[in-house]
Amino acid sequence: MRQADAGVEVHLLGQAGVTAAGKPVKFSKRTTTLAMLGFLVLRRGQSVARNALAFSLFPDEDEEAALAELRRYLYLANKALPARSGHPWLVADAETVRWNSDNPVFVDAIEFERLSSDDATLAEAVDCYKGDLLEEVYDDWVLPERERLRTRYLDALMKLVRAHRARREHAAAISYARQILAVDPWREDVVRQLLAARYESGDASGALLEFDRFEKRLRDEINVRAMPETLAVRAAIARGDPLPGSLEAADEASGKVVVRQVPLLPLVGRAKELDDLRARWSRCARGNGALTLVSGESGVGKTRLIGELAAVVESEGGRVFVGTTTYPERAPYQCVAEALRSALPLLLSGRMDPAGLAALATVLPELHSEVERLPDLPALAPDREAIRLLDALAGSVQALASARPLLLILEDLHWAGRATIDAIAAIVRRSARNRVLIVGSFREEEATRAHPLRTLERALGTERLAGTVVLDRLKRDDVAMLLSSMTTGDVVEGARVDELYAHTEGLPLFLNEALAEHRERRGSADATRLLR
């Protein structure tokens, strides 16, 4: 927040200038003077050697002429800035110059950095960023600082896009994505976020139109095609499928994607488990492929926790693909095939050999229409046929991880049959030296000791290729933390915490439903009024 008594404001972002009491300060040689003030102000009162400052501002002059020019500009700047008795704005001696940080002043670039360092004030930070640093100045010292602040601005916008998508605030996510593309129109990761936000808002045709416009610009202006990752998003939208990396599911009856309308609750009580998953991802991203199983009862928050990991992986540049098992399992390998289906554009652009694609077509028949001609494979005995298919499935996962680390999420494995579990085993073992993390979720109560998944868990655990993260219900303190995070900092009454904890028994699913019902009934986001 601006200091109320500052009086002087230094604007370095966008149209640069200085104001005093709301009126612009006029400088002789305006551009060079603002460059000098920016150089000193951004160093927050640090003393700068006269020689260094003179060389930065006047690189084409010899030393004597550059120092003479610096003396003149220091005099003109101090003269133009409003007088403060005994407190000059620029303090100089025979060797150094510095901005007098004792004087109250608002500097937009410094304020932007302060605001952008806190996720809670990112929206204010991007509002503060009116343009690039000292847009009219092209001195060597400006360029890296300009690029640093622009990168920080784009990072803040990307965080806002992801945060608003997570809260189902699609209009805001779309707006922030457009702001990024206005600065960097070739950011395909942002284009994918824009397509996803429009699709998730129910506007599939608008999302496809966005893709068509982007692809036309790519062809017309730089003569390239969209990345396979972007083509995969486009293909999923055209089919009406869940997006690659999305944990949304398609409705069994209609086949349409059902987007969760209730905003996600703040994640509480899962710091240890999320840190564990992130550590496992970090190891796998360095070439130590493995399987991690996330277990817990229905409604305990397995999908939400895995979704947090998926967001981390995407933000770090990893690939994320998701497959789900239904009850009953529609076909062998269902979840693996579903994940690979959303990755088809990448597989077709990669290094999979035609024979591998032909074997894969037995579970992904759409490959026949995507590839001009697949080779005819020789007939084999059933057991060797199964081995050939498992090799193709494992090879496809390796191909996806060849360019970027891969997170493969397989949901509801308690409903998976033996063939699917065998496929997962083959993929994990083949990926042991690849950048692949497979995360599978299952309900503890539905996977008995005799279930094939338990056998796999024990076998791969012995080989140090698998581990398990167990989720328990939230504790009372977790519920209290959740309620506190959803209010404006008010103290939450213990009785209300006890009431909500008893009502939901610490199950995140029940918590989400109870709070959503309360909002709808009361028209209020104040969780502390629940059940009054």
Side-chain angles (χ1 to χ4, degrees), residues 153-226:
Y153 169 64
L154 294 175
D155 288 346
L157 283 170
M158 194 60 160
K159 286 182 179 180
L160 288 168
V161 171
R162 295 183 187 280
H164 284 287
R165 271 193 66 201
R167 295 198 293 267
R168 311 304 188 233
E169 295 165 355
H170 305 300
I174 291 168
S175 174
Y176 286 124
R178 292 195 188 283
Q179 288 184 57
I180 299 176
L181 293 173
V183 177
D184 189 351
W186 307 117
R187 283 276 300 268
E188 285 203 43
D189 59 331
V190 180
V191 172
R192 292 193 290 274
Q193 291 286 338
L194 177 58
L195 298 180
R198 293 202 66 167
Y199 182 49
E200 291 165 348
S201 73
D203 186 12
S205 60
L208 293 174
L209 183 59
E210 292 280 2
F211 173 84
D212 291 342
R213 289 171 180 161
F214 177 70
E215 187 179 47
K216 185 176 186 302
R217 287 203 314 273
L218 284 176
R219 287 198 312 266
D220 293 349
E221 298 183 32
I222 55 179
N223 195 30
V224 298
R225 287 202 68 196

Side-chain angles (χ1 to χ4, degrees), residues 27-36 73 134 136-138:
F27 296 104
S28 300
K29 306 287 186 180
R30 174 180 171 278
T31 301
T32 303
T33 302
L34 288 173
M36 179 184 70
Y73 276 94
L134 293 167
E136 301 173 4
V137 177
Y138 297 94

Side-chain angles (χ1 to χ4, degrees), residues 7 19 87 101 114 190 217 235:
T19 62
H87 296 277
S101 57
R114 184 185 71 81
V190 180
R217 287 203 314 273

Side-chain angles (χ1 to χ4, degrees), residues 5-141:
D5 62 340
V8 173
E9 297 186 2
V10 179
H11 296 275
L12 303 175
L13 300 174
Q15 186 64 40
V18 178
T19 62
K23 297 180 180 180
V25 176
K26 296 181 180 180
F27 296 104
S28 300
K29 306 287 186 180
R30 174 180 171 278
T31 301
T32 303
T33 302
L34 288 173
M36 179 184 70
L37 293 178
F39 189 102
L40 295 170
V41 166
L42 291 176
R43 281 153 181 77
R44 295 165 173 78
Q46 297 176 14
S47 294
V48 177
R50 276 181 177 266
N51 287 345
L53 181 56
F55 177 76
S56 296
L57 297 174
F58 312 105
D60 297 329
E61 304 286 352
D62 60 40
E63 182 177 3
E64 183 177 348
L67 288 171
E69 284 290 283
L70 176 61
R71 285 193 296 272
R72 186 162 71 93
Y73 276 94
L74 289 171
Y75 169 76
L76 292 174
N78 259 328
K79 183 179 178 181
L81 289 166
R84 288 179 61 85
S85 179
H87 296 277
W89 293 98
L90 299 168
V91 180
D93 57 29
E95 299 294 330
T96 64
V97 182
R98 67 177 173 85
W99 177 266
N100 189 352
S101 57
D102 293 335
N103 290 333
V105 65
F106 169 83
V107 182
D108 60 352
I110 294 175
E111 181 70 355
F112 164 73
E113 290 201 74
R114 184 185 71 81
L115 293 170
S116 62
S117 64
D118 185 347
D119 287 354
T121 53
L122 288 178
E124 295 175 61
V126 300
D127 286 343
C128 183
Y129 193 94
K130 302 301 184 186
D132 285 342
L133 178 71
L134 293 167
E135 290 178 338
E136 301 173 4
V137 177
Y138 297 94
D139 296 346
D140 288 345
W141 74 268

